[in-house]
Every structure is written in structure tokens, then in C-alpha cells.
Amino acid sequence: MRGEFELIARHFAPLAADVSGAFGLQDDAAVIQPESGRDLVYTSDTISAGVHYLPDDPAGDVARKLLRVNLSDLAAMGARPEGYLLNAAFQADVEETWIAEFAAGLAADQESYGIHIWGGDTTRTQGATVLSLSAIGSVPHGQCLRRSGARAGNYIFVSGTIGDAAFGLKIALGELADELDGGTQAILVDRYRRPRPRVTLGEGLLARNLATAALDISDGLVADLAHLCAASGLAAEIDAAALPLSTGVQQLIERDSARLSTALTGGDDYELVFAVPSERRDALVELARELDLPLTCIGHLEEGAGEVTVRGPDGTVVKTAQTGWQHF
Amino acid sequence: MRGEFELIARHFAPLAADVSGAFGLQDDAAVIQPESGRDLVYTSDTISAGVHYLPDDPAGDVARKLLRVNLSDLAAMGARPEGYLLNAAFQADVEETWIAEFAAGLAADQESYGIHIWGGDTTRTQGATVLSLSAIGSVPHGQCLRRSGARAGNYIFVSGTIGDAAFGLKIALGELADELDGGTQAILVDRYRRPRPRVTLGEGLLARNLATAALDISDGLVADLAHLCAASGLAAEIDAAALPLSTGVQQLIERDSARLSTALTGGDDYELVFAVPSERRDALVELARELDLPLTCIGHLEEGAGEVTVRGPDGTVVKTAQTGWQHF
């Protein structure tokens, strides 16, 4: 294993090559000129081996996940990604090939999302690898999507399909192997390992004034929608039959309807859930077409105090846990 | 132990109370309007239990150290602190009292340094506690202190006293107990646990155009000065007799002159080392008086390729390791 400075020079400095103010990651800090007329958006997430990802997940996918969960938070605010800081505390026995693959994953995503590293820190820890990333985005001054701001009567929309990541995790852990063909299993595992942050959608919602509130689904649809409801002082009615499900998840629920609850409460989807005024619904459909991304109405908001009610096809209430995963 | 959201609400949200754009740490990200005419400065550091601090160090001191090592990087750029993001991955058996004391340490330093939390993430790890912090500062547009920029003939100055933290660490580990009285030991341990980032000095050096290059001493004076030399394409001549030493370190070196090497190469001082043109020396002395902070000339820069030469009182070269602590 090389020295710390050489590791940075070899694997991480190339990620900063296009940012003059990052000084090749060789100074004490980066100096970046903010664009006039825009506010800056700051978010930060940590993922840890054995907690947020499986220790044998490919290093490139771990890197993508780390960056993308942060980009998903930016998307939820309607922000354009600008740059990021990486804090990597590697476990003592990390091999340089793992670090190289990790950096390659970041490089690929820098291309995909038009973002560059500005700085960070590379260290070792005595325990499991802990990876933190702080992402910086920007929005036009005075504008952003928030969790609060939704109004009674707004429609509730979600992007993409819901529940894929929760079942993908089960498959990655060796479950459900005899219920789905290999291709479908791979799609769901990919959804778990490589979330697609809805950055362009978030920017579009903000620019076209289509949503009164938004957040990204990391803890599970019901739990995160409950956050939106609580912040907006409303309640949500969800129609389970309207949930956008991938073919694989549809098959799993057809075999065992109790699995609907996993789709409703499973985390790691990193889709957006957002509130749309009825008069903006047509414009939203137009945005969905332009982005070639399914945006599905799954219910509506009404007066209330944070409750999320899910109704099944027969109108009865589907019981779900209202809180998502918590670390403590 | 309470739930994750309640922990954040109880211990960390109060730290964001004065920042409207942090939304009480309850949204996906913070939204901050940058001040017109200023560039933003980004730095990030990680400290890990058993590597960067001792597992039984007081939690409030760990918090201070985490914040201050980042503020020290901002100081090295001449930046004014603006805000920070905290990523805390706590070990599984952390107690809430530890988190409460950690947050209280941050609260005290927020007062001292006029900085507020903007966001972050609170998680658990399967291994040792890993704490990352990203600090955001600002400088007037187009200006900052860098490691490069020094010129041959510039004087080399350091702030404060050198070597205290390295001996403080030894004392915290149970060494040197019979060589110093308790009060002196406590001072050195305090210097290790509670570095004083030279924020006001950094801002003053920048505002008054007193330094051509600067960085903070985290890896050890010789190693960090070597970074400045390499970045500036110069060499350094240091006069060991000029080193500013605290009473305790003076006593230790008087008893064993080989310890001079510890002062020259020990890390964690978080003083600034900087290059001063001869025509700005008088103005620098004036700044030292205003700040009531010792600023000591320890040598000069000359043509070269990154070498740092330390000369003892008799003019002979004092041998020191040129590289500081590296994690890999």
C-alpha cells in the first residue's frame, strides 16, 4: 500500500482535474466562486460497511451509492449539483484495488451527473469502513423545494417504481432466489446498489413550479410521505392499486400479497415523492414525457396531522408501519 | 437510547437554531445565500476513535477537536468561517450522555468561532466511531492564502508555540509523568485536545497582504513546511534556537535534547506557518501585537526543491524525518 498523499494523488486528484479551485487536492481547502443569483444547497450523508451496504458489494457501486444518495437529497430540493467533498475512513485491511475501483465509480458518476470533487480527507479507521460525502448544489435565489408547503387537495406523485430496492436487498442477501428469473433478480439488485437520483426531475419541478413540496424516498414511501405530511400539517390518502411497480415486484406481490407492505415501507428507492396542485397536473404530465420518466399519481393530501392512510383495491385500510429505518 | 430523529432534534437541531436556511435540520438539505463578492472555501476532515483521538478523551473535547481542525484549514486559507456539516457515525454502544457532551462541545465552539451547523447525518457504524466535518468559509473574491506563492528571501513565521501537542499526547498516554508538574502537564494535554485554530490570524494575514503562502501545522512543522516549500518550489532554512517553545516543552528539551526532534516533527499543533516578505515584517509585528499572539520568525526561504534544513545553535544540521504521519 502506498502513502496517504500518493493514494490521493493517484486515485482522487484526477477527479478534481477540471476544477481549478480544488488545487489538485493539494492545498488546505478548495476555493470556489458561487454563481451570482443562486443560493447554495448543502447536504451530507454517511454510509458504513455492514450497515448501509454489504461488505462484498462492488467498490464502484459503493462509490455510486455514496454519491447518489447525496444527489438524491439535492434533487429533493430542486437543486443543480455543483461539487462534493469526500471523507473516506477505510478499514485497516483495505486493498488499493478496492480504492481504485471506488474512485473509478466516482469518476463514472462525475461524468453522468456533471459534478466534480472539491476536497475531502482520506484516513483509516480501526473499525469498519465509513464513507461520508457532502454535496453542494445550487438553486435560483429564494427558490427551493421543501417538505413543507403542500396544500390540502394536492395530488401525491412518485417518480419511477417503488419497492425495487427493498426486494433487491433481499435478493442480494440470498432470499427469493427461486421466485424470479435471473434477469429480473439482477434488475432489482441493481436498483438497490445503483439508485438513480432524480436530479433532472427535481430541477424541472422547481423551474416549472410544479410541486408545492417534495422529498426523496430513502426510509420508505410511507415513512417519508409521513415526513412531508408532518412538515406540511396535512394527511395523505394513498391508493395501493395505483403504486407504480416494476414487473419483478408485481410478480412477487402476486405470489404473496403481504409483500405489498415491503414495497410501501422498504427504503433505498431514492425516487421523489411530491405534491402537485391540480392546476399543474397537465404540465407535470408534459415534464414526464420530456424526461421519459414515469410520474404516477398515487393519492392526494387532505387536512390532518401527518397520518398516511393506504387503501387497498377494496377500499379497506392496508396496515403499514409508519416509521422507516432508524439507527438509534 | 432514543430514535435517530429524536436524537437529532434533541442534541443537534438546537445548534442550527440561528440559521433559517438549515430548516431545523428537518429537510433534505440546507439552502444558504452566499454573500456577494466573496468566494467560498471548502474543507473537510475526519477523526476516528483510537486513531485521531483517544477513546476516553472527553466527548466535548472530541467535538472541539473535530471542528477546530477544520477551522484551522480555513485559517490557513485566510477564510472567515461560515457554517459546517457534521457526519457522525457512532459506534454501536455509544451512550446518549456521550452524544449530549459532544453536542455541548460543538455549542461552546459555535459561540467562540461564530459558526453554525447547516446539516449532516447521524448514523451508527459496526466499528469504531468515525466523525467527519465539512467546514465552509469565505474570502474576498479572487483572494486566498495558498501553499504556493512564497518567494526566495521570504521569512518563515509560525504562530504560538510548537511541539506542545506532541508532548501533550505523550502525557495523555501516561508518559513523562515524573518530569513535569501537574499544571504544566495539564497545559500540554489541553494543547493536544483543544487546538486553537488561528482563524483571526489567517483573516488578518489575508486582509493586510502579509503572507505569500501559508498552511496549518497538522502533520508536524518540518513535514508541513516541506509541503509549503514543494508547492512554492523553494527550500527552507530553519534556526532551531528560534523555535517558539512553551515553558513545559523547554523543560523537556533541557532534560533531553533529542526531544527537539519531537517538537520539530510532532503533529497536531494547528498553528500556522507562513512566508512573509521582508517589507511586510513590520506590519506583521503590528498584527501580532493587535492579536496578542506570538508570531515568531524561525528562518527563511531560498532557492531549492522542497528541502527543509534545520540548524542547531552551533550551525550544524539537526536531522529530522521530513514526512509526517501518514495513514497508509
Side-chain angles (χ1 to χ4, degrees):
Chain A
M1 178 67 77
R2 295 152 195 286
E4 174 181 346
F5 297 118
E6 198 175 335
L7 271 183
I8 293 169
R10 196 173 176 86
H11 300 295
F12 297 117
L15 302 174
D18 292 341
V19 183
S20 64
F23 309 129
L25 306 185
Q26 294 199 357
D27 222 305
D28 291 293
V31 182
I32 309 286
Q33 183 182 6
E35 187 181 323
S36 177
R38 295 181 74 86
D39 293 343
L40 290 166
V41 181
Y42 294 94
T43 189
S44 200
D45 274 309
T46 299
I47 67 176
S48 183
V51 180
H52 301 83
Y53 66 91
L54 304 176
D56 60 350
D57 280 349
D61 284 348
V62 173
R64 286 180 181 88
K65 185 154 197 166
L66 175 64
L67 185 56
R68 292 179 185 191
V69 298
N70 279 283
L71 294 179
S72 184
D73 284 324
L74 292 185
M77 309 296 284
R80 179 181 79 195
E82 301 284 348
Y84 69 94
L85 309 171
L86 170 68
N87 291 71
F90 292 113
Q91 60 199 48
D93 63 352
V94 68
E95 294 184 11
E96 189 170 349
T97 53
W98 201 94
I99 296 175
E101 286 167 27
F102 179 82
L106 291 175
D109 265 15
Q110 290 198 167
E111 286 283 326
S112 302
Y113 296 99
I115 191 170
H116 294 279
I117 197 170
W118 289 352
D121 197 11
T122 303
T123 63
R124 264 191 219 248
T125 169
Q126 294 185 337
T129 294
V130 176
L131 304 161
S132 294
L133 192 142
S134 299
I136 300 100
S138 71
V139 287
H141 171 57
Q143 297 176 36
C144 69
L145 296 173
R146 296 202 40 204
R147 297 178 177 193
S148 57
R151 294 188 299 274
N154 285 173
Y155 293 113
I156 301 165
F157 274 80
V158 292
S159 61
T161 52
I162 300 300
D164 295 341
F167 290 105
L169 171 58
K170 287 180 188 290
I171 294 165
L173 290 170
E175 300 174 39
L176 307 176
D178 52 350
E179 300 202 39
L180 294 171
D181 65 69
T184 306
Q185 290 185 43
I187 288 170
L188 295 180
V189 171
D190 186 70
R191 289 275 290 162
Y192 167 68
R193 287 193 179 144
R194 298 192 182 188
R196 270 82 173 158
R198 300 305 184 185
V199 173
T200 317
L201 172 61
E203 287 186 79
L205 294 175
L206 185 68
R208 300 185 190 186
N209 199 24
L210 296 173
T212 53
L215 82 171
D216 70 321
I217 304 172
S218 55
D219 293 335
L221 172 62
V222 170
D224 284 313
L225 185 53
H227 293 150
L228 186 151
C229 288
S232 295
L234 296 172
E237 275 279 320
I238 297 300
D239 174 9
L243 266 195
L245 302 176
S246 66
T247 309
V249 172
Q250 273 178 33
Q251 288 173 25
L252 289 168
I253 292 176
E254 275 162 20
R255 293 176 71 123
D256 178 357
S257 63
R259 288 171 177 159
L260 175 62
S261 169
T262 300
L264 286 162
T265 60
D268 290 329
D269 276 326
Y270 297 101
E271 298 292 347
L272 295 187
V273 55
F274 50 99
V276 177
S278 58
E279 69 274 16
R280 299 303 289 151
R281 193 164 167 162
D282 289 348
L284 184 75
V285 170
E286 170 59 25
L287 179 63
R289 191 164 49 228
E290 286 177 33
L291 298 180
D292 193 21
L293 174 68
L295 302 178
T296 306
C297 181
I298 60 168
H300 68 277
L301 293 159
E302 53 194 32
E303 302 299 332
E307 310 89 350
V308 175
T309 306
V310 182
R311 291 198 186 277
D314 58 356
T316 59
V317 172
V318 179
K319 288 208 172 163
T320 60
Q322 297 268 322
T323 53
W325 166 256
Q326 291 206 32
H327 284 280
F328 296 93
Chain B
M1 179 66 79
R2 296 152 195 284
E4 174 181 344
F5 297 118
E6 197 175 336
L7 271 183
I8 293 169
R10 195 173 176 85
H11 300 295
F12 297 116
L15 302 173
D18 292 340
V19 183
S20 64
F23 309 129
L25 305 186
Q26 294 199 358
D27 222 304
D28 291 293
V31 182
I32 308 287
Q33 184 183 3
E35 187 181 324
S36 177
R38 295 182 74 85
D39 293 342
L40 290 166
V41 181
Y42 294 94
T43 188
S44 200
D45 274 308
T46 299
I47 65 175
S48 184
V51 179
H52 301 83
Y53 65 91
L54 305 176
D56 60 350
D57 280 349
D61 283 348
V62 174
R64 286 180 180 87
K65 184 152 196 167
L66 176 63
L67 185 56
R68 293 179 184 190
V69 297
N70 279 283
L71 294 179
S72 184
D73 283 324
L74 293 185
M77 309 297 285
R80 179 180 80 196
E82 300 284 347
Y84 69 93
L85 309 171
L86 170 68
N87 291 70
F90 291 113
Q91 60 199 48
D93 62 352
V94 66
E95 293 184 11
E96 190 170 348
T97 53
W98 201 93
I99 296 175
E101 286 167 27
F102 179 81
L106 291 176
D109 265 14
Q110 289 198 168
E111 286 284 326
S112 303
Y113 296 99
I115 192 170
H116 295 279
I117 196 171
W118 289 352
D121 197 11
T122 303
T123 63
R124 265 190 217 248
T125 170
Q126 293 184 336
T129 295
V130 176
L131 304 161
S132 293
L133 192 143
S134 299
I136 300 99
S138 72
V139 287
H141 172 57
Q143 295 176 37
C144 68
L145 296 174
R146 296 203 39 203
R147 296 178 177 192
S148 58
R151 294 188 300 273
N154 286 174
Y155 293 113
I156 300 164
F157 275 78
V158 293
S159 60
T161 52
I162 300 300
D164 296 341
F167 290 105
L169 171 59
K170 288 181 189 289
I171 293 166
L173 289 169
E175 301 174 39
L176 307 175
D178 52 348
E179 299 202 40
L180 295 170
D181 63 71
T184 305
Q185 290 186 41
I187 289 170
L188 295 180
V189 171
D190 186 70
R191 289 276 291 162
Y192 168 68
R193 287 193 179 144
R194 298 191 181 189
R196 270 83 173 156
R198 300 305 185 186
V199 174
T200 317
L201 172 61
E203 287 185 78
L205 293 177
L206 185 67
R208 300 185 188 185
N209 198 24
L210 296 173
T212 53
L215 84 170
D216 69 321
I217 304 172
S218 55
D219 294 334
L221 171 63
V222 171
D224 285 313
L225 184 54
H227 294 150
L228 186 152
C229 288
S232 295
L234 296 172
E237 276 279 319
I238 298 299
D239 174 9
L243 265 196
L245 302 175
S246 66
T247 309
V249 172
Q250 275 178 32
Q251 288 174 25
L252 289 168
I253 292 177
E254 276 163 20
R255 294 177 70 122
D256 178 357
S257 63
R259 288 172 177 160
L260 174 64
S261 170
T262 300
L264 286 163
T265 61
D268 290 330
D269 275 326
Y270 298 101
E271 298 292 347
L272 295 187
V273 56
F274 51 99
V276 177
S278 58
E279 69 272 18
R280 301 301 290 149
R281 194 167 166 160
D282 289 348
L284 184 77
V285 170
E286 171 59 25
L287 179 64
R289 191 164 49 229
E290 287 177 34
L291 298 180
D292 192 21
L293 175 68
L295 301 178
T296 308
C297 180
I298 60 168
H300 68 278
L301 293 159
E302 53 193 33
E303 302 299 332
E307 310 88 351
V308 175
T309 306
V310 182
R311 293 200 185 274
D314 56 357
T316 60
V317 172
V318 179
K319 286 208 171 164
T320 60
Q322 296 270 322
T323 54
W325 166 255
Q326 291 206 34
H327 284 282
F328 296 93

